[in-house]
PDB file of all heavy atoms in Angstrom:
ATOM      1  N   PRO A 226     -14.262  16.649  26.671  1.00 98.00           N
ATOM      2  CA  PRO A 226     -15.423  17.174  25.936  1.00 98.00           C
ATOM      3  C   PRO A 226     -15.895  16.236  24.816  1.00 98.00           C
ATOM      4  O   PRO A 226     -15.071  15.687  24.081  1.00 98.00           O
ATOM      5  CB  PRO A 226     -14.917  18.499  25.354  1.00 98.00           C
ATOM      6  CG  PRO A 226     -13.638  18.798  26.029  1.00 98.00           C
ATOM      7  CD  PRO A 226     -13.113  17.555  26.653  1.00 98.00           C
ATOM      8  N   LYS A 227     -17.205  16.096  24.713  1.00 98.00           N
ATOM      9  CA  LYS A 227     -17.783  15.164  23.727  1.00 98.00           C
ATOM     10  C   LYS A 227     -17.440  15.552  22.292  1.00 98.00           C
ATOM     11  O   LYS A 227     -17.475  16.731  21.954  1.00 98.00           O
ATOM     12  CB  LYS A 227     -19.311  15.198  23.849  1.00 98.00           C
ATOM     13  CG  LYS A 227     -19.814  14.558  25.099  1.00 98.00           C
ATOM     14  CD  LYS A 227     -21.322  14.554  25.127  1.00 98.00           C
ATOM     15  CE  LYS A 227     -21.759  13.855  26.403  1.00 98.00           C
ATOM     16  NZ  LYS A 227     -23.187  13.860  26.606  1.00 98.00           N
ATOM     17  N   GLY A 228     -17.157  14.556  21.491  1.00 98.00           N
ATOM     18  CA  GLY A 228     -16.960  14.788  20.052  1.00 98.00           C
ATOM     19  C   GLY A 228     -15.574  15.289  19.677  1.00 98.00           C
ATOM     20  O   GLY A 228     -15.238  15.318  18.491  1.00 98.00           O
ATOM     21  N   VAL A 229     -14.765  15.667  20.655  1.00 99.00           N
ATOM     22  CA  VAL A 229     -13.427  16.205  20.333  1.00 99.00           C
ATOM     23  C   VAL A 229     -12.513  15.069  19.851  1.00 99.00           C
ATOM     24  O   VAL A 229     -11.784  15.203  18.879  1.00 99.00           O
ATOM     25  CB  VAL A 229     -12.834  16.927  21.569  1.00 99.00           C
ATOM     26  CG1 VAL A 229     -11.366  17.280  21.336  1.00 99.00           C
ATOM     27  CG2 VAL A 229     -13.644  18.183  21.866  1.00 99.00           C
ATOM     28  N   LEU A 230     -12.592  13.941  20.539  1.00 99.00           N
ATOM     29  CA  LEU A 230     -11.863  12.742  20.104  1.00 99.00           C
ATOM     30  C   LEU A 230     -12.891  11.637  19.870  1.00 99.00           C
ATOM     31  O   LEU A 230     -13.695  11.338  20.768  1.00 99.00           O
ATOM     32  CB  LEU A 230     -10.867  12.303  21.180  1.00 99.00           C
ATOM     33  CG  LEU A 230     -10.197  10.937  20.937  1.00 99.00           C
ATOM     34  CD1 LEU A 230      -9.332  10.955  19.677  1.00 99.00           C
ATOM     35  CD2 LEU A 230      -9.345  10.532  22.143  1.00 99.00           C
ATOM     36  N   ASN A 231     -12.882  11.085  18.677  1.00 99.00           N
ATOM     37  CA  ASN A 231     -13.783   9.965  18.361  1.00 99.00           C
ATOM     38  C   ASN A 231     -12.932   8.801  17.893  1.00 99.00           C
ATOM     39  O   ASN A 231     -12.004   8.999  17.093  1.00 99.00           O
ATOM     40  CB  ASN A 231     -14.756  10.372  17.248  1.00 99.00           C
ATOM     41  CG  ASN A 231     -15.547  11.610  17.640  1.00 99.00           C
ATOM     42  OD1 ASN A 231     -16.548  11.513  18.322  1.00 99.00           O
ATOM     43  ND2 ASN A 231     -15.062  12.782  17.236  1.00 99.00           N
ATOM     44  N   ILE A 232     -13.226   7.609  18.396  1.00 99.00           N
ATOM     45  CA  ILE A 232     -12.415   6.439  18.036  1.00 99.00           C
ATOM     46  C   ILE A 232     -13.331   5.403  17.394  1.00 99.00           C
ATOM     47  O   ILE A 232     -14.273   4.915  18.029  1.00 99.00           O
ATOM     48  CB  ILE A 232     -11.722   5.854  19.292  1.00 99.00           C
ATOM     49  CG1 ILE A 232     -10.888   6.944  19.997  1.00 99.00           C
ATOM     50  CG2 ILE A 232     -10.849   4.664  18.910  1.00 99.00           C
ATOM     51  CD1 ILE A 232     -10.279   6.533  21.327  1.00 99.00           C
ATOM     52  N   VAL A 233     -13.061   5.108  16.133  1.00 99.00           N
ATOM     53  CA  VAL A 233     -13.901   4.148  15.407  1.00 99.00           C
ATOM     54  C   VAL A 233     -13.062   2.912  15.118  1.00 99.00           C
ATOM     55  O   VAL A 233     -12.008   2.999  14.466  1.00 99.00           O
ATOM     56  CB  VAL A 233     -14.437   4.749  14.085  1.00 99.00           C
ATOM     57  CG1 VAL A 233     -15.452   3.801  13.450  1.00 99.00           C
ATOM     58  CG2 VAL A 233     -15.064   6.118  14.333  1.00 99.00           C
ATOM     59  N   HIS A 234     -13.528   1.775  15.617  1.00 98.00           N
ATOM     60  CA  HIS A 234     -12.786   0.521  15.423  1.00 98.00           C
ATOM     61  C   HIS A 234     -13.290  -0.214  14.184  1.00 98.00           C
ATOM     62  O   HIS A 234     -14.453  -0.082  13.806  1.00 98.00           O
ATOM     63  CB  HIS A 234     -12.988  -0.393  16.642  1.00 98.00           C
ATOM     64  CG  HIS A 234     -12.375   0.168  17.892  1.00 98.00           C
ATOM     65  ND1 HIS A 234     -11.059   0.002  18.209  1.00 98.00           N
ATOM     66  CD2 HIS A 234     -12.916   0.903  18.898  1.00 98.00           C
ATOM     67  CE1 HIS A 234     -10.796   0.591  19.366  1.00 98.00           C
ATOM     68  NE2 HIS A 234     -11.919   1.151  19.802  1.00 98.00           N
TER      69      HIS A 234
END
Side-chain angles (χ1 to χ4, degrees):
K227 289 183 178 176
V229 170
L230 171 64
N231 303 276
I232 304 174
V233 188
H234 294 276

